[in-house]
Amino acid sequence: MKMHPIITEEEIRHRVKELAVEIRRDAIGIEPIFVGILNGCFPFLADLIRHLDITCSVEFMRLRSYGAATETSGVVEITADLSRSIVGKDVIVVEDIVDTGLTMSYLLENIKTRRPRTIRVCTLLDKPARRRVELKLDYVGFTIPDQFVIGYGLDFDEKYRNLPFITAYEDEKPV
Ligand code: IMP
């Protein structure tokens, strides 16, 4: 299977490092809790925190909003939750991609009810063309056009998360 990266391994590595610098700059005097959204965040979050020489901790949440289809249902369910309180803490939510924004919007409302001191959002990819709600994204790796992408944590039907680069998924097969 031949695949042409739209974002190469090298470009990802470089940009993740830059994001870490931005986050570090904003994290002076605070100990952020990174809340990774499973499953897609795992390579990104793992690479990101290894570039951050700050005191921080990591938690995960798992949400269900997509099935095997490439369209969001708009219905979001929390299937795995934080393991501890975030009251008064500085939270940085780490997501693989923000598309319509419905998932993130739901999530932020939910996290707000847990009374953290601050909430920031860090997403590897932003697909603004399909946004259906207004969202403030604090750290964005790459802004991409309206296409379905896979790799570096992003899946189609739970496959292709292991690709080290990001590529488009079209016509039922990666291109
Ligand atoms: P949203 O609610 O439409 O913003 O969708 C967010 C979720 O949909 C992401 O966390 C991904 O799991 C999934 N998603 C959206 N676009 C893509 C894509 O291009 N590739 C893989 N997953 C995607």
Side-chain angles (χ1 to χ4, degrees), residues 92-129:
I92 302 178
V93 179
V94 180
E95 183 51 300
D96 52 0
I97 186 165
V98 176
D99 183 13
T100 63
L102 292 172
T103 307
M104 185 56 75
S105 165
Y106 171 88
L107 184 65
L108 292 177
E109 284 312 310
N110 182 287
I111 291 178
K112 267 183 213 156
T113 65
R114 304 168 194 224
R115 292 179 288 121
R117 194 175 78 90
T118 60
I119 312 176
R120 291 204 174 98
V121 178
C122 175
T123 183
L124 176 68
L125 302 177
D126 180 18
K127 222 194 275 184

Side-chain angles (χ1 to χ4, degrees), residues 37 65-66 70 72 76 95-104 127 130 144 147-150 154-156:
I37 308 307
S65 61
Y66 266 71
T70 57
T72 189
V76 182
E95 183 51 300
D96 52 0
I97 186 165
V98 176
D99 183 13
T100 63
L102 292 172
T103 307
M104 185 56 75
K127 222 194 275 184
R130 287 168 33 99
I144 62 164
Q147 57 185 351
F148 197 84
V149 291
I150 52 170
L154 291 130
D155 74 306
F156 177 76

Side-chain angles (χ1 to χ4, degrees), residues 4-5 10-11 16 26 35 48 52 55-56 59 64 71 78 82 92 94 96 103-104 111-112 117 128 135 144 158:
H4 305 288
E10 184 49 39
E11 286 166 335
V16 170
D26 296 343
V35 174
L48 185 68
L52 278 164
T55 305
C56 61
E59 286 282 323
R64 186 163 32 222
E71 288 293 315
I78 295 176
L82 301 174
I92 302 178
V94 180
D96 52 0
T103 307
M104 185 56 75
I111 291 178
K112 267 183 213 156
R117 194 175 78 90
L135 273 181
I144 62 164
E158 293 305 321

